[in-house]
Amino acid sequence: MSLIVVGTMAFDAIETPFGKSDRIIGGAATYIAWSASNFCRPIKQISVVGYDFPQEEMDQLTNRGVQLEGVQIKKDEKSFFWSGRYHMDMNTRDTLETQLNALATFEPVVPDSYQDCEFLMLGNLVPAVQLSVIDQLKNRPKLVVMDTMNFWMETALEDLKKVLKKVDVLMVNDSEARELSHEFSLVKAARKIMSMGPKFLIIKKGEHGALLFHEDQVFFAPALPLEDVFDPTGAGDTFAGGFIGHIAHTKDISFENMKTAIIIGSAMASFCVEKFGTERLKEIKKDDIDKRLIQFRELVNFDIELV
Amino acid sequence: MSLIVVGTMAFDAIETPFGKSDRIIGGAATYIAWSASNFCRPIKQISVVGYDFPQEEMDQLTNRGVQLEGVQIKKDEKSFFWSGRYHMDMNTRDTLETQLNALATFEPVVPDSYQDCEFLMLGNLVPAVQLSVIDQLKNRPKLVVMDTMNFWMETALEDLKKVLKKVDVLMVNDSEARELSHEFSLVKAARKIMSMGPKFLIIKKGEHGALLFHEDQVFFAPALPLEDVFDPTGAGDTFAGGFIGHIAHTKDISFENMKTAIIIGSAMASFCVEKFGTERLKEIKKDDIDKRLIQFRELVNFDIELV
């Protein structure tokens, strides 16, 4: 199994109704790597950081089996920085500040040692960067998964549409699916988005779970009802990491196996929100994950006899 | 099996972003009876109507096995009337007009032939009326289920709390659960509400499904992703009807069987929203229901092997 992960490695500063973080480690590729490395190693990371990104964080990733040859370090620039404030419902947030820094001029280079990867996870990032990575690969991976967000729909739609034509699975949240398709019904939105390229569509609904669409099939994965959601930052990336980690581990890209992968992604996301940043993801062990997967099974398992 | 259903029988006028109805038949007890009678007959109805409620509608209910001895007909008054307009998301609505009419002075009388019922479904209604029915029953039913709404939390909270102490299962939507408990987290809200009386709590989340809480257990039932939601009026009552109909049919009040009952309620609600008013509920047959239950099973069924 070999998996390339593309995305940001960054600093975040987060405010929620329940607390406020300092400047902490974040970025889509960081969360994806921490999550996916529970299921699949090595992970071949592609990203960019500035001089201020701690070596200790890099070392922790290396110890997890995350290869960093594709991570550029810009000696004269700071790392990407985002700060935001969540609303009471924790599903919506305002961006307070964005400093692109090292990300502004990022041109990804796929190392030779990353070629012939079987799975590609394009974390949320400038569509042109996602496209560049796809184009640099000499052989098409078995499965290309793409995450994106409303920001790129509003500022780089044409590039985004080009990437869509080259991916197998797209992940967006419900409001993004509506924005991209101009359809309110998620069933209609899914059909329209799948006609734009991806054969599979995952619509993330936060505390309301996630939907997987493929042709005329649909699967629903619940979110675990949690006593407290402490910090939703990175939950979507962590979900993506669990999803692609399981797929890369099993090498099975069937709809049936994607159902399992979505449940695993949901379980991983439920850990992520329990503490600020990647803190909880760094603590959990296989046993914690197994216990939570059992909770998911109990959460939705039912019997119906049709008589 | 014997089931008493208490609730309104009324006229509604509905506006949605997709259409507008004339003055059509509605009311919680109407929807509950149409839904529950697929699973359990007879149904012993308690309600009140005015001189304007069509005999034909009464006859249709009688033909479905709904007994109307407990339905008072006020010769000098009109039936309860509600009109409302749904927002684009179909989860929220504005009330345009409410005419209590016959409902204003309603004092329910439980006929002798309704005594010794095993199951009691208290549809959304003035809490004092719900309480009066409970108090008139000589033997406590095996299971008492109560639906209510935010309006009663704001205008009749003390009465509502009295009813809560006497019921086994409460059904509310997510915003009502938050309002009643003063907790934002639904897990915390559930714990607090169960300390107010009901041993089981069902939180309805519309297109996002429903949660069942009991002690430390939780079960999640999805809603079927629908291409079009035409009219959500009565969906909650139809859900309640499917739930109590299955319970009354099986006489099994375990948590396990309530899971099945919630899936059946969700399936019934998914039909209700496909047309205005009770129209779709009057059309469907056992075969339609079975097919939809299979769709629900496929929607959430997944395999996970823990290795």
Side-chain angles (χ1 to χ4, degrees), chain B residues 9-34:
Chain B
M9 295 172 68
F11 288 103
D12 292 333
I14 299 150
E15 290 179 35
T16 79
F18 311 108
K20 195 173 168 174
S21 78
D22 294 329
R23 205 161 154 273
I24 56 175
I25 297 296
T30 309
Y31 284 101
I32 295 170
W34 275 102

mmCIF file of all heavy atoms in Angstrom, chain B residues 9-34:
data_model
loop_
_atom_site.group_PDB
_atom_site.id
_atom_site.type_symbol
_atom_site.label_atom_id
_atom_site.label_comp_id
_atom_site.label_asym_id
_atom_site.label_seq_id
_atom_site.Cartn_x
_atom_site.Cartn_y
_atom_site.Cartn_z
ATOM 1 N N MET B 9 -57.900 16.962 15.012
ATOM 2 C CA MET B 9 -58.345 16.664 13.651
ATOM 3 C C MET B 9 -58.752 18.033 13.117
ATOM 4 O O MET B 9 -59.555 18.725 13.757
ATOM 5 C CB MET B 9 -59.496 15.670 13.659
ATOM 6 C CG MET B 9 -59.032 14.301 14.199
ATOM 7 S SD MET B 9 -60.364 13.097 14.464
ATOM 8 C CE MET B 9 -60.870 12.755 12.782
ATOM 9 N N ALA B 10 -58.224 18.425 12.007
ATOM 10 C CA ALA B 10 -58.249 19.855 11.708
ATOM 11 C C ALA B 10 -58.172 20.142 10.217
ATOM 12 O O ALA B 10 -58.098 19.232 9.393
ATOM 13 C CB ALA B 10 -57.069 20.511 12.407
ATOM 14 N N PHE B 11 -58.190 21.436 9.906
ATOM 15 C CA PHE B 11 -57.885 21.897 8.549
ATOM 16 C C PHE B 11 -56.552 22.647 8.556
ATOM 17 O O PHE B 11 -56.247 23.379 9.504
ATOM 18 C CB PHE B 11 -58.974 22.848 8.025
ATOM 19 C CG PHE B 11 -60.253 22.163 7.692
ATOM 20 C CD1 PHE B 11 -61.347 22.238 8.556
ATOM 21 C CD2 PHE B 11 -60.384 21.436 6.517
ATOM 22 C CE1 PHE B 11 -62.534 21.602 8.246
ATOM 23 C CE2 PHE B 11 -61.578 20.796 6.196
ATOM 24 C CZ PHE B 11 -62.658 20.879 7.071
ATOM 25 N N ASP B 12 -55.770 22.441 7.498
ATOM 26 C CA ASP B 12 -54.521 23.179 7.321
ATOM 27 C C ASP B 12 -54.547 23.900 5.974
ATOM 28 O O ASP B 12 -55.165 23.422 5.025
ATOM 29 C CB ASP B 12 -53.318 22.219 7.287
ATOM 30 C CG ASP B 12 -53.060 21.533 8.624
ATOM 31 O OD1 ASP B 12 -53.425 22.109 9.666
ATOM 32 O OD2 ASP B 12 -52.476 20.430 8.616
ATOM 33 N N ALA B 13 -53.834 25.012 5.915
ATOM 34 C CA ALA B 13 -53.532 25.623 4.613
ATOM 35 C C ALA B 13 -52.030 25.857 4.589
ATOM 36 O O ALA B 13 -51.479 26.488 5.497
ATOM 37 C CB ALA B 13 -54.292 26.934 4.437
ATOM 38 N N ILE B 14 -51.379 25.314 3.577
ATOM 39 C CA ILE B 14 -49.920 25.206 3.600
ATOM 40 C C ILE B 14 -49.280 25.880 2.393
ATOM 41 O O ILE B 14 -49.741 25.711 1.263
ATOM 42 C CB ILE B 14 -49.523 23.699 3.606
ATOM 43 C CG1 ILE B 14 -50.085 23.021 4.858
ATOM 44 C CG2 ILE B 14 -48.016 23.538 3.538
ATOM 45 C CD1 ILE B 14 -50.399 21.562 4.670
ATOM 46 N N GLU B 15 -48.239 26.646 2.654
ATOM 47 C CA GLU B 15 -47.429 27.189 1.565
ATOM 48 C C GLU B 15 -46.007 26.675 1.710
ATOM 49 O O GLU B 15 -45.437 26.721 2.792
ATOM 50 C CB GLU B 15 -47.387 28.724 1.638
ATOM 51 C CG GLU B 15 -48.693 29.386 1.292
ATOM 52 C CD GLU B 15 -48.591 30.907 1.419
ATOM 53 O OE1 GLU B 15 -47.519 31.470 1.122
ATOM 54 O OE2 GLU B 15 -49.588 31.506 1.841
ATOM 55 N N THR B 16 -45.460 26.192 0.622
ATOM 56 C CA THR B 16 -44.046 25.807 0.610
ATOM 57 C C THR B 16 -43.394 26.546 -0.547
ATOM 58 O O THR B 16 -44.086 27.145 -1.372
ATOM 59 C CB THR B 16 -43.873 24.281 0.405
ATOM 60 O OG1 THR B 16 -44.045 23.982 -0.988
ATOM 61 C CG2 THR B 16 -44.852 23.477 1.228
ATOM 62 N N PRO B 17 -42.047 26.509 -0.614
ATOM 63 C CA PRO B 17 -41.388 27.150 -1.770
ATOM 64 C C PRO B 17 -41.814 26.502 -3.093
ATOM 65 O O PRO B 17 -41.554 27.052 -4.154
ATOM 66 C CB PRO B 17 -39.898 26.910 -1.501
ATOM 67 C CG PRO B 17 -39.792 26.722 -0.030
ATOM 68 C CD PRO B 17 -41.060 26.026 0.373
ATOM 69 N N PHE B 18 -42.454 25.333 -3.029
ATOM 70 C CA PHE B 18 -42.750 24.592 -4.250
ATOM 71 C C PHE B 18 -44.239 24.529 -4.572
ATOM 72 O O PHE B 18 -44.628 23.954 -5.579
ATOM 73 C CB PHE B 18 -42.185 23.175 -4.142
ATOM 74 C CG PHE B 18 -40.756 23.178 -3.698
ATOM 75 C CD1 PHE B 18 -40.399 22.768 -2.419
ATOM 76 C CD2 PHE B 18 -39.760 23.646 -4.541
ATOM 77 C CE1 PHE B 18 -39.079 22.795 -1.996
ATOM 78 C CE2 PHE B 18 -38.441 23.680 -4.132
ATOM 79 C CZ PHE B 18 -38.097 23.260 -2.862
ATOM 80 N N GLY B 19 -45.093 25.093 -3.694
ATOM 81 C CA GLY B 19 -46.518 25.018 -3.982
ATOM 82 C C GLY B 19 -47.351 25.502 -2.815
ATOM 83 O O GLY B 19 -46.822 25.895 -1.774
ATOM 84 N N LYS B 20 -48.638 25.472 -3.011
ATOM 85 C CA LYS B 20 -49.575 26.022 -2.043
ATOM 86 C C LYS B 20 -50.811 25.127 -2.037
ATOM 87 O O LYS B 20 -51.301 24.744 -3.104
ATOM 88 C CB LYS B 20 -49.948 27.443 -2.511
ATOM 89 C CG LYS B 20 -50.615 28.306 -1.492
ATOM 90 C CD LYS B 20 -50.784 29.729 -2.023
ATOM 91 C CE LYS B 20 -51.715 30.499 -1.101
ATOM 92 N NZ LYS B 20 -51.820 31.905 -1.464
ATOM 93 N N SER B 21 -51.277 24.769 -0.847
ATOM 94 C CA SER B 21 -52.459 23.910 -0.794
ATOM 95 C C SER B 21 -53.697 24.736 -0.544
ATOM 96 O O SER B 21 -53.625 25.845 -0.025
ATOM 97 C CB SER B 21 -52.324 22.888 0.336
ATOM 98 O OG SER B 21 -52.607 23.508 1.589
ATOM 99 N N ASP B 22 -54.873 24.197 -0.917
ATOM 100 C CA ASP B 22 -56.131 24.740 -0.418
ATOM 101 C C ASP B 22 -56.240 24.393 1.054
ATOM 102 O O ASP B 22 -55.302 23.881 1.638
ATOM 103 C CB ASP B 22 -57.303 24.108 -1.180
ATOM 104 C CG ASP B 22 -57.277 24.518 -2.641
ATOM 105 O OD1 ASP B 22 -56.810 25.644 -2.929
ATOM 106 O OD2 ASP B 22 -57.721 23.703 -3.484
ATOM 107 N N ARG B 23 -57.405 24.615 1.595
ATOM 108 C CA ARG B 23 -57.723 24.209 2.948
ATOM 109 C C ARG B 23 -57.888 22.689 2.917
ATOM 110 O O ARG B 23 -58.847 22.175 2.313
ATOM 111 C CB ARG B 23 -59.050 24.903 3.308
ATOM 112 C CG ARG B 23 -59.311 25.147 4.758
ATOM 113 C CD ARG B 23 -60.377 26.224 4.897
ATOM 114 N NE ARG B 23 -61.106 26.097 6.148
ATOM 115 C CZ ARG B 23 -62.183 25.331 6.318
ATOM 116 N NH1 ARG B 23 -62.677 24.642 5.314
ATOM 117 N NH2 ARG B 23 -62.765 25.264 7.506
ATOM 118 N N ILE B 24 -56.918 21.965 3.496
ATOM 119 C CA ILE B 24 -56.968 20.506 3.414
ATOM 120 C C ILE B 24 -57.035 19.888 4.802
ATOM 121 O O ILE B 24 -56.773 20.555 5.810
ATOM 122 C CB ILE B 24 -55.732 19.926 2.668
ATOM 123 C CG1 ILE B 24 -54.427 20.390 3.343
ATOM 124 C CG2 ILE B 24 -55.750 20.338 1.202
ATOM 125 C CD1 ILE B 24 -53.179 19.764 2.756
ATOM 126 N N ILE B 25 -57.393 18.607 4.828
ATOM 127 C CA ILE B 25 -57.521 17.887 6.101
ATOM 128 C C ILE B 25 -56.145 17.692 6.737
ATOM 129 O O ILE B 25 -55.190 17.315 6.060
ATOM 130 C CB ILE B 25 -58.159 16.505 5.854
ATOM 131 C CG1 ILE B 25 -59.571 16.672 5.316
ATOM 132 C CG2 ILE B 25 -58.149 15.649 7.129
ATOM 133 C CD1 ILE B 25 -60.527 17.338 6.270
ATOM 134 N N GLY B 26 -56.070 17.979 8.034
ATOM 135 C CA GLY B 26 -54.824 17.769 8.756
ATOM 136 C C GLY B 26 -55.118 17.427 10.202
ATOM 137 O O GLY B 26 -56.176 16.892 10.527
ATOM 138 N N GLY B 27 -54.166 17.744 11.079
ATOM 139 C CA GLY B 27 -54.332 17.448 12.499
ATOM 140 C C GLY B 27 -53.491 16.251 12.905
ATOM 141 O O GLY B 27 -53.401 15.262 12.175
ATOM 142 N N ALA B 28 -52.874 16.359 14.082
ATOM 143 C CA ALA B 28 -51.956 15.314 14.548
ATOM 144 C C ALA B 28 -52.614 13.940 14.567
ATOM 145 O O ALA B 28 -52.053 12.957 14.075
ATOM 146 C CB ALA B 28 -51.421 15.668 15.936
ATOM 147 N N ALA B 29 -53.832 13.865 15.124
ATOM 148 C CA ALA B 29 -54.475 12.556 15.282
ATOM 149 C C ALA B 29 -54.860 11.961 13.930
ATOM 150 O O ALA B 29 -54.898 10.732 13.768
ATOM 151 C CB ALA B 29 -55.706 12.668 16.179
ATOM 152 N N THR B 30 -55.136 12.823 12.955
ATOM 153 C CA THR B 30 -55.443 12.338 11.604
ATOM 154 C C THR B 30 -54.223 11.626 11.021
ATOM 155 O O THR B 30 -54.317 10.490 10.545
ATOM 156 C CB THR B 30 -55.835 13.511 10.692
ATOM 157 O OG1 THR B 30 -56.850 14.274 11.341
ATOM 158 C CG2 THR B 30 -56.316 13.022 9.344
ATOM 159 N N TYR B 31 -53.084 12.315 11.054
ATOM 160 C CA TYR B 31 -51.862 11.716 10.516
ATOM 161 C C TYR B 31 -51.475 10.458 11.284
ATOM 162 O O TYR B 31 -51.083 9.447 10.698
ATOM 163 C CB TYR B 31 -50.708 12.722 10.558
ATOM 164 C CG TYR B 31 -50.758 13.784 9.493
ATOM 165 C CD1 TYR B 31 -51.216 15.069 9.772
ATOM 166 C CD2 TYR B 31 -50.343 13.513 8.190
ATOM 167 C CE1 TYR B 31 -51.263 16.055 8.797
ATOM 168 C CE2 TYR B 31 -50.375 14.487 7.206
ATOM 169 C CZ TYR B 31 -50.833 15.756 7.511
ATOM 170 O OH TYR B 31 -50.881 16.708 6.546
ATOM 171 N N ILE B 32 -51.543 10.520 12.608
ATOM 172 C CA ILE B 32 -51.156 9.356 13.426
ATOM 173 C C ILE B 32 -52.031 8.154 13.064
ATOM 174 O O ILE B 32 -51.527 7.040 12.864
ATOM 175 C CB ILE B 32 -51.271 9.675 14.940
ATOM 176 C CG1 ILE B 32 -50.255 10.758 15.345
ATOM 177 C CG2 ILE B 32 -51.049 8.409 15.775
ATOM 178 C CD1 ILE B 32 -50.462 11.312 16.755
ATOM 179 N N ALA B 33 -53.344 8.391 12.934
ATOM 180 C CA ALA B 33 -54.263 7.281 12.649
ATOM 181 C C ALA B 33 -53.992 6.677 11.270
ATOM 182 O O ALA B 33 -53.947 5.453 11.115
ATOM 183 C CB ALA B 33 -55.702 7.769 12.745
ATOM 184 N N TRP B 34 -53.806 7.527 10.261
ATOM 185 C CA TRP B 34 -53.522 7.006 8.922
ATOM 186 C C TRP B 34 -52.231 6.190 8.912
ATOM 187 O O TRP B 34 -52.134 5.164 8.241
ATOM 188 C CB TRP B 34 -53.421 8.149 7.892
ATOM 189 C CG TRP B 34 -54.763 8.530 7.356
ATOM 190 C CD1 TRP B 34 -55.524 9.610 7.712
ATOM 191 C CD2 TRP B 34 -55.548 7.803 6.399
ATOM 192 N NE1 TRP B 34 -56.712 9.609 7.045
ATOM 193 C CE2 TRP B 34 -56.754 8.511 6.223
ATOM 194 C CE3 TRP B 34 -55.357 6.624 5.673
ATOM 195 C CZ2 TRP B 34 -57.762 8.080 5.352
ATOM 196 C CZ3 TRP B 34 -56.356 6.196 4.804
ATOM 197 C CH2 TRP B 34 -57.537 6.917 4.648
#
